[in-house]
Amino acid sequence: MSAAMIWGHLSLVLSALILAIVVGVPLGLLAYLFPKVGKVLLWVVDLIQTIPALALLGVIMVVAGPGSPTAMTGLALYSLLPIARNCSLGLSQVPDHLKEAAAGMGMSKAYRLFHVDIPLATPMLVTGIRIAAVNAIGTAVFASFVGGGGLGGLFYTAIRQRDMGMIVLGTAVLMGMALVLDAGLGWVERRLSGTRQNKLPLPVKAIGGGILALASVALVVSMLLPSRTEGQLTLYDGDYSEVKLMHAMVEQLVEDKTGLEVVILDQMTQVNNHNELKGSNPSCDLMFSYDGTVLTTFLGLDTGDIPQGETLYDYVNDTVREREGLRLLGKVGLNNTYSIGVTQSVIDRYGVTKVSDLVPIAGELDFGAEHEFYTEEGSMKYQPFVDFYGLNFRSAKPVDVVLKYNAVEGGAFDVMVVYATDGLNKRAGLTILEDDLGFFPEYYGAFLVREDLFQDFYDAAPNLEQVLELLTGQVSSEDMVELTYAVDVDGRAVNEVAHEFLVSKGLLTT
């Protein structure tokens, strides 16, 4: 964890809070002044609060693109509810006798609103802002799924690695942010609800308010500005160690053997990364993926769509080039296909070696997998799998992909779907069964690049394609198991592990 990561998280929260105040306070005023319209407005704000965070961020990203603008907008929408509701509630609770006294003094409704109602309602409004701020600090961890930065990636990695020290430290940092923000806003609330606010001279208030307004605008604008990556080879960091390692290898090789600078932006899921790679205005230049993933997840096809006599890799390469203007470089060597892993207790009791061996005993076993494996999109999913093999497990439970290894190590599952090259298989003591009937397709790793990538960078790096192809055939499945084990279990730095591997292959000098 670095100071830059902490500041990135805090600035994301503060900018979203500013945006929420700018939108939420007028909504609260409208709800107070026009009650019938206000009911509809507050109902919409309530409805936004019920949308799952990842779903909301995914919708926003379609319009705003990846990065901090999407994350900031999503957090701001989630922060509207307490701000708008407390603003409206605070105004509605101004005592009637004060309103009557103001009217008796000849105040117009507008004058009374700004000089009586709003000042009296401000403490409750600040309470709403305090609630929104604390909520936003925790919700901001989801920003990492759309390349929005913050501390989400740290928690994702720490949970996979069972690094309790990092989890506790990250949690402590978030709690510290919450306490500081809450204390600061509490001070503002107490000052606004007392008489001390009148002790500051008007010029001091004006200057202080102006500086605060300028700083707020500057912060929001800085979050909206896109990262400057012109002339640089741009990638997004991955949410799995395999992708992180391969992207680190690209960075080190390209910067060593060409004049290009490589920029690895905040991590992003494979699907979102693919969406940002394709199209007329891509925000990145390449990504590490798998031919099976491109087939089933990106293109929405199945192995049955592959013409007879054509390999999965060749079919995917031709199809993705035709449909999306992308292409695969050579296979790096590893085959990270879906696999079925069983615990040591299953091995000891039943001595299974292949998936078919599970058929007579499946009724005694609990099966686990990430939520995605249970969806109906594509053929490489749970129901087609059990139908194909004739399996009927005692239970089949979904679990978050980050937590599934912790779950199986805790005894929640007997059988679990895993990726073949995940070093956590070794830590969990799982035995990978032979897919003897050949249900799961190949998932060979390769870099997916823009068709015009090498033309765009030809002047700066005419050998870019040759440099990237240096990794073709160099990383076996066994290699990747050891590499991910070093990162996820031993807790070593991705860049360090990647560098040592490149040196061992003679692709870099020490």
Side-chain angles (χ1 to χ4, degrees):
M1 185 190 308
S2 64
M5 292 176 65
I6 296 173
W7 168 244
H9 195 95
L10 182 59
S11 60
L12 180 61
V13 170
L14 290 175
S15 60
L17 201 59
I18 292 166
L19 196 59
I21 293 170
V22 170
V23 176
V25 171
L27 285 179
L29 284 171
L30 286 173
Y32 168 68
L33 294 172
F34 306 99
K36 291 184 179 179
V37 176
K39 287 182 179 179
V40 176
L41 291 175
L42 294 178
W43 177 80
V44 171
V45 172
D46 286 343
L47 196 62
I48 291 173
Q49 199 76 16
T50 66
I51 303 174
L54 292 181
L56 181 63
L57 290 174
V59 171
I60 297 170
M61 196 176 75
V62 173
V63 178
S68 53
T70 290
M72 181 181 68
T73 304
L75 279 178
L77 289 173
Y78 271 120
S79 301
L80 283 179
L81 179 61
I83 294 175
R85 278 205 173 276
N86 275 40
C87 180
S88 176
L89 184 62
L91 289 167
S92 65
Q93 289 185 347
V94 174
D96 290 336
H97 69 272
L98 293 180
K99 296 178 182 179
E100 293 171 1
M105 295 173 63
M107 293 184 186
S108 65
K109 289 185 177 180
Y111 188 90
R112 189 198 75 199
L113 176 67
F114 286 101
H115 291 82
V116 177
D117 296 357
I118 291 179
L120 291 174
T122 297
M124 182 164 284
L125 169 61
V126 176
T127 298
I129 296 172
R130 292 173 69 180
I131 296 170
V134 173
N135 288 341
I137 287 171
T139 308
V141 298
F142 292 106
S144 61
F145 288 91
V146 292
L151 295 176
L154 177 141
F155 282 100
Y156 189 97
T157 301
I159 292 171
R160 269 183 61 84
Q161 297 177 356
R162 290 199 305 184
D163 187 345
M164 290 305 300
M166 186 57 69
I167 293 172
V168 170
L169 178 60
T171 303
V173 169
L174 293 185
M175 291 174 65
M177 284 186 195
L179 289 172
V180 170
L181 271 181
D182 188 63
L185 290 169
W187 177 83
V188 172
E189 181 180 354
R190 290 190 299 273
R191 187 171 187 84
L192 291 173
S193 61
T195 58
R196 293 176 58 196
Q197 57 182 315
N198 298 322
K199 294 182 179 181
L200 287 176
L202 185 59
V204 174
K205 290 182 180 179
I207 293 172
I211 292 174
L212 181 61
L214 288 174
S216 299
V217 171
L219 180 60
V220 172
V221 170
S222 70
M223 299 298 289
L224 292 172
L225 292 175
S227 302
R228 297 183 61 85
T229 58
E230 295 86 354
Q232 300 169 320
L233 192 69
T234 305
L235 303 84
Y236 285 99
D237 210 359
D239 50 1
Y240 286 99
S241 296
E242 291 91 342
V243 179
K244 292 177 182 289
L245 284 159
M246 296 307 301
H247 285 187
M249 291 182 197
V250 166
E251 179 182 25
Q252 294 178 32
L253 277 176
V254 170
E255 292 190 345
D256 181 72
K257 300 183 182 300
T258 75
L260 283 178
E261 180 183 354
V262 179
V263 176
I264 300 181
L265 301 176
D266 294 318
Q267 75 178 58
M268 185 180 288
T269 62
Q270 283 266 302
V271 172
N272 288 336
N273 197 346
H274 166 250
N275 291 335
E276 291 308 309
L277 180 62
K278 67 179 183 178
S280 58
N281 189 30
S283 62
C284 61
D285 298 307
L286 72 156
M287 65 179 289
F288 182 75
S289 191
Y290 309 92
D291 53 6
T293 299
V294 178
L295 176 74
T296 61
T297 304
F298 299 167
L299 297 175
L301 301 172
D302 292 320
T303 51
D305 297 309
I306 303 173
Q308 190 172 2
E310 190 170 2
T311 67
L312 186 153
Y313 173 86
D314 290 336
Y315 176 70
V316 165
N317 211 2
D318 293 340
T319 306
V320 79
R321 177 179 289 172
E322 178 183 345
R323 291 189 182 184
E324 300 181 346
L326 307 175
R327 70 180 176 94
L328 290 168
L329 300 184
K331 302 175 188 178
V332 301
L334 62 94
N335 180 13
N336 194 26
T337 185
Y338 273 131
S339 297
I340 300 301
V342 297
T343 61
Q344 187 60 43
S345 64
V346 173
I347 297 295
D348 294 340
R349 288 179 62 190
Y350 304 107
V352 295
T353 59
K354 55 186 184 293
V355 178
S356 293
D357 293 339
L358 296 175
V359 174
I361 60 173
E364 303 174 37
L365 305 175
D366 297 313
F367 182 90
E370 57 267 33
H371 293 83
E372 183 185 4
F373 192 67
Y374 292 99
T375 63
E376 298 180 0
E377 298 175 3
S379 61
M380 300 302 108
K381 304 298 180 182
Y382 175 75
Q383 198 58 50
F385 165 65
V386 295
D387 290 345
F388 182 83
Y389 269 100
L391 296 166
N392 185 21
F393 290 106
R394 179 170 59 192
S395 68
K397 305 171 185 176
V399 65
D400 186 85
V401 66
V402 182
L403 299 174
K404 70 177 187 178
Y405 281 98
N406 294 335
V408 75
E409 290 174 68
F413 310 130
D414 304 298
V415 186
M416 191 169 77
V417 69
V418 299
Y419 293 111
T421 63
D422 199 326
L424 294 181
N425 297 332
K426 183 177 176 182
R427 186 193 76 184
L430 296 177
T431 297
I432 305 302
L433 301 183
E434 177 191 352
D435 182 15
D436 53 309
L437 299 185
F439 174 76
F440 294 112
E442 303 163 346
Y443 277 79
Y444 282 106
F447 287 99
L448 187 64
V449 305
R450 294 188 292 106
E451 184 81 75
D452 53 0
L453 170 66
F454 304 112
Q455 180 181 344
D456 289 348
F457 285 99
Y458 185 80
D459 291 339
N463 63 332
L464 178 59
E465 184 171 6
Q466 289 74 24
V467 170
L468 293 176
E469 292 285 12
L470 289 174
L471 290 168
T472 298
Q474 293 291 331
V475 191
S476 68
S477 297
E478 293 74 20
D479 288 333
M480 187 54 76
V481 169
E482 295 303 318
L483 293 172
T484 55
Y485 188 89
V487 172
D488 290 333
V489 181
D490 294 338
R492 297 182 61 197
V494 168
N495 286 333
E496 177 186 330
V497 174
H499 183 79
E500 287 182 2
F501 178 79
L502 293 175
V503 171
S504 72
K505 291 291 183 177
L507 299 177
L508 286 181
T509 60
T510 54

PDB file of all heavy atoms in Angstrom, residues 304-319:
ATOM      1  N   GLY A 304     -19.019 -25.625 -30.278  1.00  0.00           N
ATOM      2  CA  GLY A 304     -19.790 -26.202 -31.376  1.00  0.00           C
ATOM      3  C   GLY A 304     -19.822 -25.316 -32.605  1.00  0.00           C
ATOM      4  O   GLY A 304     -20.184 -25.775 -33.705  1.00  0.00           O
ATOM      5  N   ASP A 305     -19.468 -24.035 -32.454  1.00  0.00           N
ATOM      6  CA  ASP A 305     -19.448 -23.120 -33.607  1.00  0.00           C
ATOM      7  C   ASP A 305     -18.170 -23.238 -34.423  1.00  0.00           C
ATOM      8  O   ASP A 305     -18.081 -22.659 -35.512  1.00  0.00           O
ATOM      9  CB  ASP A 305     -19.593 -21.676 -33.117  1.00  0.00           C
ATOM     10  CG  ASP A 305     -20.925 -21.430 -32.429  1.00  0.00           C
ATOM     11  OD1 ASP A 305     -21.960 -21.768 -33.025  1.00  0.00           O
ATOM     12  OD2 ASP A 305     -20.928 -20.908 -31.298  1.00  0.00           O
ATOM     13  N   ILE A 306     -17.181 -23.949 -33.914  1.00  0.00           N
ATOM     14  CA  ILE A 306     -15.898 -24.060 -34.616  1.00  0.00           C
ATOM     15  C   ILE A 306     -16.032 -25.056 -35.763  1.00  0.00           C
ATOM     16  O   ILE A 306     -16.437 -26.205 -35.550  1.00  0.00           O
ATOM     17  CB  ILE A 306     -14.793 -24.519 -33.645  1.00  0.00           C
ATOM     18  CG1 ILE A 306     -14.679 -23.556 -32.468  1.00  0.00           C
ATOM     19  CG2 ILE A 306     -13.460 -24.639 -34.371  1.00  0.00           C
ATOM     20  CD1 ILE A 306     -13.736 -24.016 -31.385  1.00  0.00           C
ATOM     21  N   PRO A 307     -15.717 -24.657 -37.003  1.00  0.00           N
ATOM     22  CA  PRO A 307     -15.800 -25.588 -38.146  1.00  0.00           C
ATOM     23  C   PRO A 307     -14.900 -26.798 -37.935  1.00  0.00           C
ATOM     24  O   PRO A 307     -13.834 -26.698 -37.326  1.00  0.00           O
ATOM     25  CB  PRO A 307     -15.331 -24.735 -39.331  1.00  0.00           C
ATOM     26  CG  PRO A 307     -15.537 -23.321 -38.887  1.00  0.00           C
ATOM     27  CD  PRO A 307     -15.296 -23.316 -37.410  1.00  0.00           C
ATOM     28  N   GLN A 308     -15.340 -27.915 -38.438  1.00  0.00           N
ATOM     29  CA  GLN A 308     -14.562 -29.144 -38.296  1.00  0.00           C
ATOM     30  C   GLN A 308     -13.209 -28.994 -38.985  1.00  0.00           C
ATOM     31  O   GLN A 308     -13.108 -28.474 -40.089  1.00  0.00           O
ATOM     32  CB  GLN A 308     -15.327 -30.319 -38.907  1.00  0.00           C
ATOM     33  CG  GLN A 308     -14.707 -31.670 -38.599  1.00  0.00           C
ATOM     34  CD  GLN A 308     -15.597 -32.819 -39.058  1.00  0.00           C
ATOM     35  OE1 GLN A 308     -16.649 -32.592 -39.640  1.00  0.00           O
ATOM     36  NE2 GLN A 308     -15.180 -34.042 -38.788  1.00  0.00           N
ATOM     37  N   GLY A 309     -12.175 -29.423 -38.292  1.00  0.00           N
ATOM     38  CA  GLY A 309     -10.834 -29.357 -38.842  1.00  0.00           C
ATOM     39  C   GLY A 309     -10.094 -28.072 -38.523  1.00  0.00           C
ATOM     40  O   GLY A 309      -8.905 -27.952 -38.836  1.00  0.00           O
ATOM     41  N   GLU A 310     -10.773 -27.106 -37.892  1.00  0.00           N
ATOM     42  CA  GLU A 310     -10.124 -25.842 -37.536  1.00  0.00           C
ATOM     43  C   GLU A 310      -9.891 -25.798 -36.035  1.00  0.00           C
ATOM     44  O   GLU A 310     -10.751 -26.201 -35.256  1.00  0.00           O
ATOM     45  CB  GLU A 310     -10.989 -24.660 -37.968  1.00  0.00           C
ATOM     46  CG  GLU A 310     -10.280 -23.309 -37.844  1.00  0.00           C
ATOM     47  CD  GLU A 310     -11.049 -22.180 -38.503  1.00  0.00           C
ATOM     48  OE1 GLU A 310     -12.153 -22.427 -39.026  1.00  0.00           O
ATOM     49  OE2 GLU A 310     -10.548 -21.042 -38.505  1.00  0.00           O
ATOM     50  N   THR A 311      -8.748 -25.319 -35.630  1.00  0.00           N
ATOM     51  CA  THR A 311      -8.452 -25.246 -34.204  1.00  0.00           C
ATOM     52  C   THR A 311      -9.211 -24.088 -33.563  1.00  0.00           C
ATOM     53  O   THR A 311      -9.588 -23.121 -34.238  1.00  0.00           O
ATOM     54  CB  THR A 311      -6.953 -25.054 -33.942  1.00  0.00           C
ATOM     55  OG1 THR A 311      -6.558 -23.762 -34.427  1.00  0.00           O
ATOM     56  CG2 THR A 311      -6.136 -26.133 -34.632  1.00  0.00           C
ATOM     57  N   LEU A 312      -9.417 -24.191 -32.255  1.00  0.00           N
ATOM     58  CA  LEU A 312     -10.089 -23.131 -31.518  1.00  0.00           C
ATOM     59  C   LEU A 312      -9.329 -21.815 -31.663  1.00  0.00           C
ATOM     60  O   LEU A 312      -9.930 -20.762 -31.908  1.00  0.00           O
ATOM     61  CB  LEU A 312     -10.215 -23.531 -30.043  1.00  0.00           C
ATOM     62  CG  LEU A 312     -11.011 -22.630 -29.107  1.00  0.00           C
ATOM     63  CD1 LEU A 312     -11.590 -23.442 -27.957  1.00  0.00           C
ATOM     64  CD2 LEU A 312     -10.178 -21.492 -28.525  1.00  0.00           C
ATOM     65  N   TYR A 313      -8.023 -21.867 -31.526  1.00  0.00           N
ATOM     66  CA  TYR A 313      -7.200 -20.661 -31.609  1.00  0.00           C
ATOM     67  C   TYR A 313      -7.347 -19.977 -32.972  1.00  0.00           C
ATOM     68  O   TYR A 313      -7.563 -18.758 -33.054  1.00  0.00           O
ATOM     69  CB  TYR A 313      -5.735 -21.013 -31.346  1.00  0.00           C
ATOM     70  CG  TYR A 313      -4.762 -19.884 -31.578  1.00  0.00           C
ATOM     71  CD1 TYR A 313      -4.478 -18.961 -30.588  1.00  0.00           C
ATOM     72  CD2 TYR A 313      -4.129 -19.727 -32.825  1.00  0.00           C
ATOM     73  CE1 TYR A 313      -3.592 -17.917 -30.806  1.00  0.00           C
ATOM     74  CE2 TYR A 313      -3.246 -18.684 -33.056  1.00  0.00           C
ATOM     75  CZ  TYR A 313      -2.979 -17.786 -32.049  1.00  0.00           C
ATOM     76  OH  TYR A 313      -2.113 -16.754 -32.271  1.00  0.00           O
ATOM     77  N   ASP A 314      -7.235 -20.745 -34.043  1.00  0.00           N
ATOM     78  CA  ASP A 314      -7.328 -20.160 -35.392  1.00  0.00           C
ATOM     79  C   ASP A 314      -8.716 -19.593 -35.657  1.00  0.00           C
ATOM     80  O   ASP A 314      -8.855 -18.511 -36.250  1.00  0.00           O
ATOM     81  CB  ASP A 314      -6.982 -21.213 -36.449  1.00  0.00           C
ATOM     82  CG  ASP A 314      -5.505 -21.582 -36.437  1.00  0.00           C
ATOM     83  OD1 ASP A 314      -4.694 -20.751 -35.980  1.00  0.00           O
ATOM     84  OD2 ASP A 314      -5.163 -22.692 -36.876  1.00  0.00           O
ATOM     85  N   TYR A 315      -9.741 -20.309 -35.213  1.00  0.00           N
ATOM     86  CA  TYR A 315     -11.104 -19.824 -35.425  1.00  0.00           C
ATOM     87  C   TYR A 315     -11.344 -18.525 -34.665  1.00  0.00           C
ATOM     88  O   TYR A 315     -11.921 -17.563 -35.196  1.00  0.00           O
ATOM     89  CB  TYR A 315     -12.108 -20.890 -34.983  1.00  0.00           C
ATOM     90  CG  TYR A 315     -13.541 -20.435 -35.066  1.00  0.00           C
ATOM     91  CD1 TYR A 315     -14.172 -20.241 -36.290  1.00  0.00           C
ATOM     92  CD2 TYR A 315     -14.275 -20.165 -33.900  1.00  0.00           C
ATOM     93  CE1 TYR A 315     -15.490 -19.807 -36.368  1.00  0.00           C
ATOM     94  CE2 TYR A 315     -15.593 -19.739 -33.965  1.00  0.00           C
ATOM     95  CZ  TYR A 315     -16.188 -19.560 -35.192  1.00  0.00           C
ATOM     96  OH  TYR A 315     -17.488 -19.116 -35.265  1.00  0.00           O
ATOM     97  N   VAL A 316     -10.888 -18.498 -33.413  1.00  0.00           N
ATOM     98  CA  VAL A 316     -11.042 -17.285 -32.603  1.00  0.00           C
ATOM     99  C   VAL A 316     -10.294 -16.125 -33.231  1.00  0.00           C
ATOM    100  O   VAL A 316     -10.816 -15.000 -33.320  1.00  0.00           O
ATOM    101  CB  VAL A 316     -10.537 -17.542 -31.162  1.00  0.00           C
ATOM    102  CG1 VAL A 316     -10.333 -16.224 -30.424  1.00  0.00           C
ATOM    103  CG2 VAL A 316     -11.515 -18.405 -30.403  1.00  0.00           C
ATOM    104  N   ASN A 317      -9.080 -16.376 -33.687  1.00  0.00           N
ATOM    105  CA  ASN A 317      -8.269 -15.309 -34.267  1.00  0.00           C
ATOM    106  C   ASN A 317      -8.931 -14.721 -35.509  1.00  0.00           C
ATOM    107  O   ASN A 317      -9.001 -13.502 -35.679  1.00  0.00           O
ATOM    108  CB  ASN A 317      -6.881 -15.845 -34.612  1.00  0.00           C
ATOM    109  CG  ASN A 317      -5.803 -14.780 -34.501  1.00  0.00           C
ATOM    110  OD1 ASN A 317      -6.069 -13.642 -34.127  1.00  0.00           O
ATOM    111  ND2 ASN A 317      -4.581 -15.143 -34.808  1.00  0.00           N
ATOM    112  N   ASP A 318      -9.426 -15.578 -36.378  1.00  0.00           N
ATOM    113  CA  ASP A 318     -10.095 -15.093 -37.593  1.00  0.00           C
ATOM    114  C   ASP A 318     -11.375 -14.344 -37.264  1.00  0.00           C
ATOM    115  O   ASP A 318     -11.667 -13.297 -37.858  1.00  0.00           O
ATOM    116  CB  ASP A 318     -10.411 -16.275 -38.522  1.00  0.00           C
ATOM    117  CG  ASP A 318      -9.166 -16.921 -39.096  1.00  0.00           C
ATOM    118  OD1 ASP A 318      -8.101 -16.264 -39.096  1.00  0.00           O
ATOM    119  OD2 ASP A 318      -9.245 -18.092 -39.523  1.00  0.00           O
ATOM    120  N   THR A 319     -12.146 -14.860 -36.300  1.00  0.00           N
ATOM    121  CA  THR A 319     -13.447 -14.265 -35.980  1.00  0.00           C
ATOM    122  C   THR A 319     -13.300 -12.930 -35.274  1.00  0.00           C
ATOM    123  O   THR A 319     -14.004 -11.958 -35.591  1.00  0.00           O
ATOM    124  CB  THR A 319     -14.271 -15.230 -35.106  1.00  0.00           C
ATOM    125  OG1 THR A 319     -14.357 -16.502 -35.750  1.00  0.00           O
ATOM    126  CG2 THR A 319     -15.673 -14.682 -34.891  1.00  0.00           C
TER     127      THR A 319
END
